[in-house]
Amino acid sequence: MAIDLKKFVLRFIDEANGHLQTVKEGAFLLSSGESTDTQIGEMFRAAHTLKGGARMLKLQSIADVTHQLEEILSELRDKKLSPDQNLGTLILQACDYISDQLAQLLATDGHNQLPPADEALCERLARASRGDMESRAGEGTPPQVEIPVSALNLDSVDIGLKQASSVRVKLEKLDDLINILGEVVATHDRLEQQVQSLANLGPRLAKMDAGQLRQQIVQLGRKLKDDFQVQHLQMFELYDVATTIRMLPVSMLFEPVSMQVRDLAASLNKQVDCRILGGEIEIDRQLIDRLSEPLTHLLRNAVDHGIGDVAERLALGKSARGTITLSTQQDGRGILLRVEDDGRGLDYPGIRAKAVARGLVDAAVADQLSEQECNELIFHPGFSTSKIVTELSGRGVGLDIVRKTIVSDLQGTLQVHSRAGLGTTFIIRLPISLAMMRILQFEQQNHLFGLAAQYVVEVVKYSRDDIRDIAGCPAIILHNEFIPVISAAELLRIPDRPGSQTTAVASSLLLIVIQNQFGKMAMRVDSLLDERNMMIKPLPKHMQQQALVSGMVLSPDNQLVSILQVPVLMEMAQKRGQSRISAAKPEVRPNAWHVLIVDDSMNTREIEKNVLEAHGYQVTLAEDGYSGLQKARLTQFDAVLTDVEMPVMDGFSLTKALRAEENYQHIPIIIVTSRAKEEDRRRGIQVGADAYIAKGDFEQDSLIETLKMLLC
């Protein structure tokens, strides 16, 4: 009887994709000169297994290519070949060919009829295994076939990312689930027996004295408590196992993308490889479904705007092939996704010019926008610096959707880092699951609210006397940062109830410090209830358009608790602060002193900026020492305020570097830092600072007086 190979082919496709990923990751290391003997061994075993499976299923074209691939890896393993970039590129091309073959098999639902293997590719692989690499400078690379954008089915990217309506579950996960369910049933039976015992107690009550009755109640209470605790543990164990069944490897999201990136690049006459790291990490199926659209937008932008063409890259001393790296990490706070390209980086002058042209910022202050502020502008609806609109990008809608999906829909955060000529990185942080989250509950004037724990930095108590008034706004100094303070009642517009005990009379204030990608805020609340994992209930349809509440949870006493969207809360607080400051701030004089503030904390930068602008100074911001030094070289400032602890370049190094510049040898430099030790003060003065202010002693009047004294 003939064997139906179709079901084996579908299983082979899954396994083959895993082996291909091993070979691809190794090929990237070969290209970068970072390969190890262990890695080459793993690549060889993956290729060998892949070839064996293909031959068993009579998939001859895949078997032929993997055979030649295996020959190369065998020579590498035996040190008869040396790893180099061209060899890595050739192996990646072979992997792409096999990926295409697997995609064809999948599209035909496992029908194992494939065309013969690409003879030219097999010949090049065979020559390479003999040490005959004809392309030391890309000579052997097959001519780039330009694919018209209009001919590309761009929707195929989205289709490739969509997941099936079913998931494959490992047998051991189902076994775990069934075992726990058996324990739950047993606990339920015990509880039923106790209910029956309680019912049986009724007729006997009249014959019992007080001592016997007390003993019966104590025994029943103890058994109920024990069984309740067991059931409590089983419930969370059951949830954990059920959650893992919904989890899928993130490679299911990344791999379809990696197969499409080269086609998209070819349509623009570019060469781009897509590298995947951490594809084995599992995340909630719901997250995978929702991430496909934002990920597609990020990749289209990276291919279209980020990666330059071959000539441009070679002129900059880069490899002809651009690389987009998709990586995943998991830590205690959730999932971290990075989409990183090695392209041009963001065009900050172009972003500033576009922002002025669209009326988003005033032309007079456009040059003062920090890179972080420019990063924020690219997510504005309809914002694009592209001079042409293509089918891939340029309409300014992609990044708007990316931020809405990540921040509003998925309760995540999104950060951007970019360096001119080096590339751009989008960092996405997400909760592990959307169905259940860790929620911190608090009470404000008898109203219950919740905050997703990933936004909560810490909870602190501050004496009312320790709250400072900085530029008309209350703030605390916590871990080297100025953090604005706002009342939850004021922010949520909850009026005082007649006769209620408000925090107005309390000497100690309870503050929840929350943060998003733009900064931190301390929210004053009446009291904390608890923090626990809770099942999130979606809002009813008629409420889903409002932005402040993302969902509901049920408290232990059956009350509905609104989960507040932290990014929206912080945006509301920022608008209130800006309106208050703009009402109090005097006009900046045309000939005002121009001060550069350098600090990695956005809160601190903004608060110091508000203090100086309130006194008529013109201010420019920089987020680290290196950025501050670059701005100081482009613009002549009248004074510099700098923190010490900063990434890339610290404040001591910045001060020393500025003093080496001819234009800054006599310009006032003030260090404002939480490092208050005498040795730090001495070092600050030694490297050239004119004044050293500890943030713990910070008084805005003192800062202004010091600045005036040094400038006059």
Side-chain angles (χ1 to χ4, degrees), residues 47-106:
H48 180 77
T49 307
L50 185 55
K51 183 182 76 172
R55 281 187 171 168
M56 284 281 291
L57 296 171
K58 305 187 185 310
L59 302 170
Q60 196 56 43
S61 61
I62 295 177
D64 289 346
V65 174
T66 48
H67 171 71
Q68 299 301 339
L69 198 54
E70 185 185 12
E71 289 292 308
I72 292 177
L73 294 168
S74 173
E75 297 297 298
L76 281 169
R77 188 185 57 175
D78 297 340
K79 308 288 186 191
K80 295 177 182 174
L81 281 179
S82 299
D84 68 16
Q85 184 177 348
N86 289 328
L87 204 52
T89 301
L90 182 59
I91 292 173
L92 282 173
Q93 288 170 358
C95 290
D96 281 350
Y97 174 82
I98 298 170
S99 292
D100 287 342
Q101 300 288 294
L102 294 173
Q104 287 185 43
L105 281 175
L106 187 62

Side-chain angles (χ1 to χ4, degrees), residues 189-459:
D189 290 345
R190 286 200 299 273
L191 286 170
E192 264 192 338
Q193 286 178 3
Q194 288 164 29
V195 171
Q196 187 59 46
S197 298
L198 194 59
N200 295 339
L201 191 61
R204 295 160 46 204
L205 283 177
K207 300 176 183 176
M208 290 183 181
D209 58 25
Q212 289 173 323
L213 181 60
R214 189 182 308 111
Q215 185 181 7
Q216 287 288 328
I217 292 174
V218 168
Q219 285 177 354
L220 272 173
R222 189 178 297 132
K223 286 180 181 176
L224 277 171
K225 183 180 177 185
D226 290 346
D227 285 338
F228 172 77
Q229 288 176 340
V230 170
Q231 193 181 48
H232 183 78
L233 292 174
Q234 288 171 341
M235 186 178 63
F236 279 99
E237 201 174 353
L238 193 60
Y239 167 77
D240 287 341
V241 174
T243 302
T244 61
I245 289 176
R246 280 170 51 104
M247 306 289 264
L248 293 172
V250 76
S251 58
M252 291 191 66
L253 174 68
F254 286 169
E255 285 178 0
V257 174
S258 66
M259 290 190 289
Q260 298 291 339
V261 162
R262 286 194 182 189
D263 288 342
L264 295 176
S267 71
L268 298 168
N269 200 24
K270 298 177 181 178
Q271 299 176 18
V272 182
D273 294 321
C274 191
R275 184 182 187 186
I276 297 174
L277 300 174
E280 73 283 0
I281 292 176
E282 294 186 334
I283 67 175
D284 192 320
R285 159 67 184 275
Q286 199 175 349
L287 283 174
I288 285 185
D289 291 345
R290 300 296 300 276
L291 279 172
S292 62
E293 186 177 9
L295 188 61
T296 300
H297 285 297
L298 290 179
L299 290 169
R300 284 177 177 175
N301 277 339
V303 173
D304 198 9
H305 301 310
I307 306 287
D309 58 30
V310 173
E312 178 186 332
R313 291 180 63 84
L314 290 175
L316 293 171
K318 295 182 176 181
S319 161
R321 304 186 73 83
T323 301
I324 297 174
T325 304
L326 304 172
S327 60
T328 316
Q329 289 177 285
Q330 184 174 350
D331 58 25
R333 294 174 55 199
I335 302 294
L336 195 66
L337 302 180
R338 295 168 65 94
V339 180
E340 184 174 8
D341 69 65
D342 66 344
R344 302 164 174 144
L346 292 178
D347 174 14
Y348 288 119
I351 291 172
R352 293 185 180 99
K354 190 71 176 183
V356 172
R358 292 200 57 193
L360 298 175
V361 298
D362 193 277
V365 299
D367 290 339
Q368 298 172 28
L369 291 177
S370 67
E371 291 183 354
Q372 203 165 356
E373 289 168 324
C374 290
N375 292 344
E376 170 64 10
L377 283 170
I378 66 175
F379 295 104
H380 198 278
F383 193 94
S384 173
T385 57
S386 177
K387 294 176 181 172
I388 59 170
V389 175
T390 70
E391 288 88 340
L392 290 178
S393 57
R395 299 178 191 277
V397 295
L399 291 179
D400 176 32
I401 292 173
V402 170
R403 183 163 73 171
K404 180 184 178 304
T405 306
I406 301 296
V407 177
S408 301
D409 300 346
L410 302 181
Q411 295 278 314
T413 61
L414 177 62
Q415 290 181 299
V416 186
H417 298 285
S418 184
R419 290 288 179 199
L422 298 179
T424 302
T425 302
F426 290 84
I427 302 174
I428 299 168
R429 180 170 283 283
L430 296 165
I432 292 176
S433 170
L434 293 179
M436 182 171 278
M437 290 186 190
R438 195 153 189 86
I439 300 295
L440 175 70
Q441 293 182 72
F442 68 91
E443 182 178 355
Q444 186 66 41
Q445 295 176 356
N446 291 337
H447 296 275
L448 302 184
F449 299 99
L451 298 169
Q454 69 260 27
Y455 293 113
V456 178
V457 179
E458 60 183 298
V459 178

Side-chain angles (χ1 to χ4, degrees), residues 114-172:
L114 291 173
D118 184 336
E119 290 184 10
L121 176 60
C122 289
E123 177 59 26
R124 287 169 55 220
L125 289 167
R127 285 204 304 270
S129 69
R130 298 191 294 269
D132 180 15
M133 280 298 297
E134 58 186 22
S135 58
R136 290 296 167 191
E139 188 185 357
T141 304
Q144 187 85 18
V145 178
E146 186 170 346
I147 304 172
V149 175
S150 56
L152 263 180
N153 181 10
L154 297 176
D155 292 337
S156 64
V157 178
D158 301 327
I159 293 169
L161 291 169
K162 287 176 182 172
Q163 308 301 319
S165 58
S166 60
V167 294
R168 296 175 61 192
V169 180
K170 290 184 178 177
L171 190 58
E172 56 263 33

